[in-house]
C-alpha cells in the first residue's frame, strides 16, 4: 500500500460514506471473492428502481492514485447491461481518464452518481443501443467467442465472397486472393497456394446486440432473413464438404465506425452427429433441418489489418489517396532507410527501394537496419523488414544502381507517383536530374541530403520547368548556399583504402528524415504542386560541438537562424544560366 496517502484516503472516505443513511463495511471474505485484489470497500444502499440492488464502493491498495471502482450487487449476468464487467463491476471511466487525487470525496460522489444513472437506465432498458457502440468489447465477453480472425477486407462494401486461409488456430481473410497469399508469405513465411477457400462476408445494417448473437444456426439464419444473397451463401457453406469453408465473417457500420465479427461452424465430426439414429441417406429432411437449427455456433474476434485501420483507425482522411500511390526510393542509407520507414507507416500502396550497397556494422547506430544485417544488401533487407511490419503494402527491392534498373525497366520510374533520391552522390543524382528534365511527364523528384554533422537537412522538389538540381549546386555537386560553414574537412578517415565518413547521430538525422517524408506526403496528396525547397536547421549545439558557424552568405540571404531548431521554406528560383534546364527556357 502507498502509505500514508492510502490510510488518510481511507479515513476521509469512511467519513464521507457515513453520510449515507444505509451503508456497511465489506468484510475481507467479501472482498476476496473479486478477482481484482481489493483492499477495502463499502456497500451502499442508494435510491434505485430495484431496492434489492446495492452498490459497492471498492478500493485497491493504489488508492487514491487509482480511483474507486463501483460494482452492482448482486451481480447481473455478463452481457445483461452495457458497461457491465465481470462480477458486477461497472465501467464508468474511460481508459486514460484523469481524476483528482486530492479531492477524493468529489471523485467518489461523481462516480456514485454516474453509477446510479447507469443502473437506472439499464433497468429501464433505455441504453441497449450502447451495446453497438462498443461491439468488440461485448463480443469478446460472449462465452462462445473462442476463435480468432485477422481481416484484410476493406470496411464497408456489400455482402460478397472473400478469401480465407488458416494458420494453425488463426484464420486470415481478404477481399483479394493474391493479397491474402502475399500477406501469408510476407508475415508468416507460409506458402498457402492451394489452401485458399471462399467464405461469405455478410454486411449487416448495424452491430449485433448480445440478444442477437448467433448462438445457434437457427439464430444465424434469423440475422440474415432479409438478405437473400447471404442466405444462398450460407446454404453453399452448409453443403460444402470442405471443413475449411465452414466459417463466415460479418461486417457492419455503427456510430463509432466499422466493425467485423467472425462465425465458425463446429468441427465436421460434430456435424455427423446430426444423423444419429438414422442411416445417413434416409434421415427425414424435417429432422435434419430441425437438428441443424440447433447446431451451436462459435464466435471469432476479428483483428483488423486493412490499411484504413492500420494507418489511422478509420480516421485518417489521407489513407484512401495514399493507398493508391507508388514511390521509388533511390538510396537506402541512413537518411533513405528512415524515409522508407516513414513512407511505410504513412500507408502508400507500393515502395520500390533501389540501392546497390551492403549494410555496414558501423552504420547500424543510425540506420533502420541493425548489426544482424551487416554484409547483406541494404535494399533487400530493408524491404523484408518493412514487409514484416506492413505486409499489406507492396515492396520491391533492386540491388543495383538505379541507372541499370532504368535501362531495363524504365516504366518502374515513369509510372511512379514520386521519386525520392537520398543517394548523396553527384554522379547518380546529376544523371537523374538530367533525365527528369529531358522526359516530358516524368514524375516529380525529391532530392534529400544532409549538411556536415547533420546540422542541417534539405528536401527539394522541382516542378513545371521551374528550376532543377543543377540550379542550386556547383558543377561539382556542392550546394551553392549551405546553411552552415565549417573549418577544414568535416570527414574522418578510417583504416581502409579511400575510407571516409561523416559523423552524426540518429537524433539529428531524424529531423531530416521527417523533412523528406513530410514533403513526400504533401506531394502525394497534392498539397504541393510547384517547386519547393524546405530546409531543417539544426540546433546551435551541433555547430558548437564541431566548431562550425552559420554561413554568413546564408544569413545575408535568408536571415539569421538564431539558435536553430526550425524549418525554413525557401523560394525556388530557376537559374537562367543553368546548363541543364536553362537551355529549355
Amino acid at each position: 500500500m502507498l502509505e500514508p496517502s492510502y490510510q488518510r484516503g481511507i479515513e476521509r472516505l469512511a467519513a464521507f460514506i457515513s453520510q449515507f443513511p444505509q451503508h456497511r463495511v465489506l468484510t475481507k471474505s467479501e472482498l476476496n471473492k473479486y478477482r481484482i485484489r481489493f483492499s477495502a470497500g463499502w456497500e451502499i444502499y442508494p435510491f434505485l428502481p430495484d431496492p434489492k440492488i446495492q452498490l459497492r464502493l471498492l478500493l485497491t491498495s493504489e488508492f487514491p492514485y487509482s480511483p474507486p471502482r463501483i460494482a452492482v450487487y448482486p451481480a447481473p449476468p455478463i452481457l445483461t447491461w452495457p458497461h457491465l464487467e465481470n462480477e458486477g463491476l461497472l465501467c464508468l471511466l474511460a481508459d486514460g481518464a484523469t481524476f483528482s487525487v486530492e479531492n477524493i470525496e468529489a471523485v467518489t460522489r461523481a462516480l456514485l452518481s454516474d453509477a446510479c444513472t447507469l443502473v437506472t437506465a439499464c433497468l429501464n432498458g433505455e441504453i441497449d443501443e450502447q451495446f453497438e457502440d462498443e461491439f468488440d468489447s461485448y463480443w469478446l465477453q460472449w462465452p462462445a467467442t473462442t476463435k480468432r480472425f485477422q481481416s484484410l477486407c476493406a470496411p464497408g462494401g456489400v455482402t460478397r465472397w472473400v478469401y480465407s486461409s488458416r494458420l494453425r488456430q488463426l484464420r486470415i481473410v481478404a477481399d483479394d486472393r493474391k493479397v491474402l497469399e502475399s500477406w501469408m508469405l510476407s508475415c508468416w513465411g507460409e506458402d498457402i497456394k492451394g489452401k485458399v477457400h471462399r467464405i461469405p462476408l455478410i454486411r449487416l445494417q448495424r452491430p449485433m446486440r448480445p440478444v442477437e448473437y448467433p448462438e445457434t444456426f437457427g439464430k444465424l439464419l434469423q440475422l440474415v432473413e432479409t438478405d437473400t444473397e447471404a442466405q444462398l451463401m450460407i446454404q453453399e457453406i452448409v453443403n460444402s464438404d470442405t471443413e475449411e469453408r465452414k466459417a463466415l465473417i460479418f461486417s457492419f457500420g455503427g456510430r463509432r465506425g466499422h466493425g467485423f465479427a467472425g462465425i465458425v461452424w463446429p468441427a465436421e465430426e460434430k456435424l455427423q452427429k446430426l444423423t444419429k439414429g438414422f442411416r445417413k441417406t434416409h434421415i427425414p429432411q424435417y429432422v435434419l433441418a430441425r437438428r441443424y437449427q440447433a447446431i451451436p455456433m462459435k464466435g471469432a474476434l476479428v483483428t483488423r489489418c486493412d490499411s484504413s485501420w492500420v494507418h489511422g483507425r478509420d480516421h485518417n482522411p489521407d489513407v484512401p489517396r495514399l493507398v493508391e500511390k507508388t514511390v521509388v526510393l533511390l538510396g537506402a542509407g541512413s537518411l533513405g532507410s528512415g524515409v522508407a520507414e516513414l513512407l511505410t507507416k504513412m500507408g502508400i500502396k507500393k515502395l520500390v527501394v533501389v540501392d546497390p550497397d551492403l549494410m555496414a556494422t558501423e552504420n547500424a547506430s543510425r540506420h533502420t537496419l541493425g548489426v544482424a544485417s551487416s554484409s547483406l544488401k541494404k535494399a533487400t533487407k530493408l524491404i523484408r523488414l518493412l514487409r514484416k511490419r506492413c505486409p499489406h503494402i507492396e515492396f520491391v527491392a533492386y540491388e543495383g544502381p538505379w541507372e541499370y534498373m532504368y535501362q531495363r525497366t524504365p516504366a518502374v520510374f515513369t509510372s511512379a507517383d514520386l521519386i525520392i533520391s537520398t543517394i548523396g552522390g553527384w554522379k547518380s543524382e546529376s544523371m537523374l536530374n538530367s533525365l527528369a528534365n529531358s522526359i516530358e511527364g516524368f514524375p516529380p523528384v525529391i532530392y534529400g541530403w544532409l549538411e556536415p554533422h547533420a546540422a542541417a537537412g534539405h528536401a527539394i522538389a522541382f516542378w513545371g520547368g521551374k528550376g532543377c538540381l543543377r540550379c542550386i549546386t556547383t558543377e561539382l555537386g556542392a550546394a551553392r548556399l549551405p546553411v552552415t560553414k565549417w573549418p577544414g574537412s568535416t570527414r574522418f578517415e578510417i583504416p581502409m583504402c579511400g575510407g571516409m565518413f561523416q559523423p552524426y547521430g540518429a537524433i539529428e538525422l531524424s529531423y531530416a528524415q521527417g523533412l523528406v517524408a513530410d514533403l513526400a506526403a504533401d506531394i502525394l496528396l497534392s498539397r504541393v504542386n510547384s517547386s519547393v525547397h524546405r530546409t531543417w536547421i539544426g540546433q546551435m549545439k551541433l555547430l558548437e560541438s564541431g566548431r562550425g558557424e552559420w554561413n554568413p552568405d546564408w544569413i545575408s540571404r535568408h536571415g539569421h537562424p538564431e539558435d536553430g531548431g526550425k524549418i525554413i521554406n525557401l523560394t525556388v528560383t530557376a537559374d537562367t544560366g543553368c546548363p541543364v534546364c536553362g537551355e529549355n527556357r
Side-chain angles (χ1 to χ4, degrees), residues 375-387:
S375 302
L376 300 174
K377 290 288 188 178
K378 288 189 289 189
T380 298
K381 290 298 294 182
L382 181 61
I383 68 162
R384 286 178 181 172
L385 174 65
L386 297 177
R387 188 182 285 129

Side-chain angles (χ1 to χ4, degrees), residues 190-509:
E190 293 282 334
D191 185 352
I192 59 169
K193 290 181 179 179
K195 302 177 183 178
V196 178
H197 305 276
R198 291 198 317 167
I199 66 170
L201 182 150
I202 298 174
R203 182 72 178 176
L204 300 178
Q205 293 182 348
R206 59 171 177 79
M208 295 174 280
R209 300 178 186 181
V211 294
E212 299 169 313
Y213 292 173
E215 300 170 345
T216 63
F217 182 75
K219 292 196 70 173
L220 173 64
L221 291 181
Q222 290 178 18
L223 270 176
V224 299
E225 61 183 357
T226 61
D227 189 338
T228 303
E229 184 177 5
Q231 294 177 25
L232 293 174
M233 287 177 165
I234 291 174
Q235 189 61 48
E236 181 175 329
I237 297 300
V238 170
N239 294 332
S240 172
D241 293 331
T242 304
E243 186 174 337
E244 293 295 324
R245 293 196 64 191
K246 295 194 181 300
L248 61 82
I249 185 169
F250 287 117
S251 76
F252 40 78
R255 293 184 298 188
R256 294 192 179 180
H258 298 281
F260 292 86
I263 294 293
V264 179
W265 270 251
E268 190 65 34
E269 59 269 17
K270 294 183 179 179
L271 293 177
Q272 292 176 357
K273 295 180 180 179
L274 294 173
T275 59
K276 186 176 181 180
F278 295 90
R279 294 180 182 177
K280 189 172 182 180
T281 57
H282 291 82
I283 181 171
Q285 285 299 311
Y286 74 91
V287 175
L288 183 62
R290 186 171 62 246
R291 290 183 177 182
Y292 213 101
Q293 292 276 323
I295 290 177
M297 298 284 105
K298 291 293 184 182
L301 183 68
V302 179
T303 300
R304 287 182 59 184
C305 299
D306 57 278
S307 294
S308 181
W309 184 254
V310 170
H311 299 286
R313 306 186 190 190
D314 288 340
H315 286 80
N316 184 347
D318 297 336
V319 169
R321 298 174 66 186
L322 290 173
V323 295
E324 300 297 326
K325 304 298 183 180
T326 296
V327 177
V328 176
L329 175 66
L330 311 181
S334 56
L335 177 58
S337 66
V339 172
E341 188 173 4
L342 291 171
L343 290 169
T344 299
K345 293 176 180 178
M346 198 186 301
I348 62 174
K349 175 185 178 181
K350 180 178 180 180
L351 178 62
V352 181
V353 179
V354 184
D355 194 305
D357 295 335
L358 303 177
M359 179 64 187
T361 56
E362 61 269 21
N363 205 26
S365 65
R366 57 192 193 187
H367 199 283
T368 300
L369 297 174
V371 173
S373 300
S374 64
S375 302
L376 300 174
K377 290 288 188 178
K378 288 189 289 189
T380 298
K381 290 298 294 182
L382 181 61
I383 68 162
R384 286 178 181 172
L385 174 65
L386 297 177
R387 188 182 285 129
K388 281 280 187 181
R389 296 182 183 179
C390 294
H392 53 282
I393 295 176
E394 183 180 354
F395 294 94
V396 177
Y398 184 75
E399 300 178 343
W402 75 264
E403 300 94 313
Y404 295 173
M405 184 181 190
Y406 180 79
Q407 290 174 0
R408 296 174 182 175
T409 53
V412 172
F413 290 76
T414 56
S415 64
D417 296 287
L418 176 66
I419 295 172
I420 302 175
S421 175
T422 58
I423 298 172
W426 181 233
K427 171 192 170 184
S428 290
E429 291 196 323
S430 62
M431 292 176 65
L432 178 62
N433 182 57
S434 177
L435 180 69
N437 277 272
S438 63
I439 297 179
E440 186 176 353
F442 199 79
V445 180
I446 294 177
Y447 299 92
W449 73 93
L450 300 166
E451 292 193 20
H453 303 291
H458 298 266
I460 185 167
F462 301 100
W463 230 289
K466 187 177 180 181
C468 75
L469 186 63
R470 184 63 179 83
C471 290
I472 64 166
T473 58
T474 67
E475 62 182 12
L476 299 180
R480 294 184 186 178
L481 191 62
V483 181
T484 60
K485 186 176 181 180
W486 306 84
S489 174
T490 57
R491 293 179 176 270
F492 286 73
E493 295 182 343
I494 56 176
M496 60 186 297
C497 181
M500 301 185 74
F501 79 102
Q502 182 73 249
Y504 55 84
I507 295 176
E508 50 266 38
L509 168 66

Side-chain angles (χ1 to χ4, degrees), residues 88-107:
L89 289 168
L90 299 176
C91 182
L92 299 173
L93 288 176
D95 291 343
T98 57
F99 55 92
S100 173
V101 174
E102 290 82 20
N103 198 353
I104 56 177
E105 293 87 355
V107 171

